[in-house]
Amino acid sequence: MTELLQYVLSGLTVGAVYALVALGFTIIYNASNVVNFAQGEFVMLGGMITFFAWQAGLPLPLAAALAILAAAAVGVALNKLAVERARGAPVVSLIIITIGASIFLRGGAQLVFDKQLHRFPAFSGDEPLVIGGATILPQGLWVVAGAATVFALLYLFFTRTLTGKAILATANNRVAARLVGINTDYMMTLSFALSAAIGALAGVLMTPITLTSYDLGVAYALKGFAAAMLGGMGVPAGALVGGLMLGLIEAITAGYVSSVYKDAVAFIVILAVLFAMPQGLFGRKSTDRV
Amino acid sequence: MRLSSSKHLTLLVLAAIILIAPFGFPSNFYYRIGSLIFVNGLAVTGLVILIGFAGQISLGHAGFAGIGAYACALAPQYLGLHPALAMLLGTALSAAIAWLIGRPILRLQGYYLAVATLGFGILVSMVLANEAPITGGPDGHEVPELGLRKLLETIGLDLSNAQFWYAFTGLFLLAGTWLALNLHDSPSGRALRALHDSEIAARTVGVDVTRYKLSAFVLSAVYASLSGSLLALMNKFITPDAAGFLHSIELVTMTVLGGAGSVPGAVAGAALLTMLPQVLTVLQDYEHMILGLIMMLVMIFMPSGLVPSLSRLLRGRT
């Protein structure tokens, strides 16, 4: 029982990060119908910039804030310089653009920073907390709490603020949104900034546990994309459930079956879910206009 | 008539390039780059059929390349098959697996199809990397000599190893291109392109959408598998990277950069992305940044890919 609890705790920690990355995919997908494969690079930028700013003498909270702002700026640039200019291009072309952006950012990070693994101290020490015989790092609680806060704030943002509703309107129908006076280009830029900031936050929270390096973006992009699809692309609740499920499946497989096949089991579950529910767990049934 | 003449022209130009290019090769290294382009071009031609004709995306086709490659590595060792037969076995295996998984997977659309194929590719590469006692694991596995070059020598055709593989893979690419070009203009090709534009419309006019999608998937898997086998036999060594996610992405990128719907675009995309890293090694640290930049620029300014965009430009000029 303790064993299971242990796997659940570590699964939730990793799953919370996947959920945040998946949420980043969801926000951009909703605003622009683009699946942004550079999403993982925001996670990398969050961790790397925080580390180097902290090493340069900045206090950790300030370094983290700087990293999140910088990542948001990169997100805006990605939208303005690349995605917006390719409006109307086929979906596969947009995929290649974001993959190109991801390779570009990875190459840039390798050049500006270095190829080493980095870590900055956990926010509240490294003494594990004991819960019912199982342990969790205080940083793990930070990750889970951080993810919960982001999801709660975004829920309020999308349901209670005019800007949030304008983004949802843009997602629903771009032309109609423009007709009622919404600046859809601005909403798209905002979505990229928001989603990059969320990715960077995930990177900041996770780095004390998993370390960071210039090339960890691909893995996070892969898992975040898978989690978003598992939940149903475009649905924030799907991102949350998909991310947590993916983390739990991985942790439990690693614990009871085999750690080398944990990714394999995760993908088998995703395939099984998609066969039964081709739109993911929470995805809306789409109908084509003929 | 015009279409068929442009088809023959494409084949003729491709054959001419393959024949004439070696006269400008200063060293054996260039034969090797050429062979790599042909091997990649073969897999990409398969993806042109799947992505460009049928409009179905796959982020896991390196999985089939991995199956083809490891068939050539493992079947000779465990089953005592000749490498050429192993290649056929790999092709049959890939086709069978594509047929089996294609039935449920191809019901998915768009990004859901992308993640399902991605999952398949990752499963294959994980099995290859983790079953070390059989496959050699991440360190890779050696592949026996094909032996065809020795056979050619006995009949008096004396080629260096690099020259032989250049010619051999070039022939495969020509055959693959010929098949894809014929398919494009055949009734089946028209059915595929119809379902690309609108599945519902295609179904309405009586196209068996499920069957055609599945055929395109199986055919592209065969292309990928052959490409993997050729790579393994040429290098006499193979690692699970051949089946990896990054290789899948690389293949899709080649397909789209060249022009997803264009058969000559497949070769152009493969050539560009195979040569680029060789050229960029001079710039060392900037290699990845430039590669990413080129991918973005081509897609922003030529959204339908290099070959279709350039040919439109040329036609506009004349």
Side-chain angles (χ1 to χ4, degrees), chain A residues 29 33-35 37 78 81-83 85-86 89-97 99-101 103-104 106-108 110-111 218 222 225-226 228-229 232-233 260-265 267-268 270-271 274-280 283 286 288-290, chain B residues 51 57 59 101 104-105 107-120 122-123 126-128 130-131 198-201 204 245-246 249 252-254 256-257 260 284-293 295-296 299-305:
Chain A
Y29 176 80
N33 269 327
V34 176
V35 166
F37 281 98
L78 173 62
L81 299 178
V83 176
R85 280 166 203 272
V91 169
V92 267
S93 304
L94 287 168
I95 294 185
I96 303 299
I97 288 179
I99 291 176
I103 296 176
F104 179 80
R106 208 176 316 143
Q110 173 194 337
L111 204 64
V218 181
L222 207 64
F225 175 54
M229 301 311 295
M233 186 52 103
V260 290
Y261 275 113
K262 67 180 167 96
D263 292 337
V265 174
F267 274 104
I268 288 173
I270 290 173
L271 287 175
L274 288 182
F275 291 158
M277 291 179 255
Q279 307 288 325
S286 74
D288 287 338
R289 195 188 298 270
V290 185
Chain B
I51 299 177
I57 190 145
L59 297 184
I101 66 160
I105 275 187
R107 282 174 39 222
L108 305 170
Q109 293 188 331
Y111 292 119
Y112 293 93
L113 180 61
V115 80
T117 48
L118 176 82
F120 162 74
I122 287 180
L123 288 181
M126 288 193 79
V127 170
L128 294 178
N130 291 332
E131 297 303 320
S198 165
E199 257 183 52
I200 297 171
T204 314
F245 168 62
L246 291 178
I249 293 290
V252 174
T253 307
M254 288 173 178
V256 180
L257 277 187
Q284 283 189 0
D285 293 342
Y286 295 93
E287 183 188 335
H288 287 115
M289 288 185 80
I290 296 176
L291 181 65
L293 205 59
M295 285 167 69
M296 288 194 277
M299 285 294 102
I300 290 170
F301 294 108
M302 305 175 181
S304 49

Side-chain angles (χ1 to χ4, degrees), chain B residues 268-286:
Chain B
L272 180 70
L273 235 63
T274 310
M275 286 190 297
L276 211 51
Q278 312 292 338
V279 179
L280 291 180
T281 44
V282 188
L283 300 163
Q284 283 189 0
D285 293 342
Y286 295 93

Side-chain angles (χ1 to χ4, degrees), chain B residues 144-165:
Chain B
E145 168 74 43
L146 179 60
L148 187 59
R149 193 166 70 93
K150 290 277 180 306
L151 205 68
L152 289 176
E153 227 169 60
T154 56
I155 60 162
L157 204 60
D158 196 4
L159 296 171
S160 79
N161 191 44
Q163 284 170 334
F164 165 75
W165 280 106

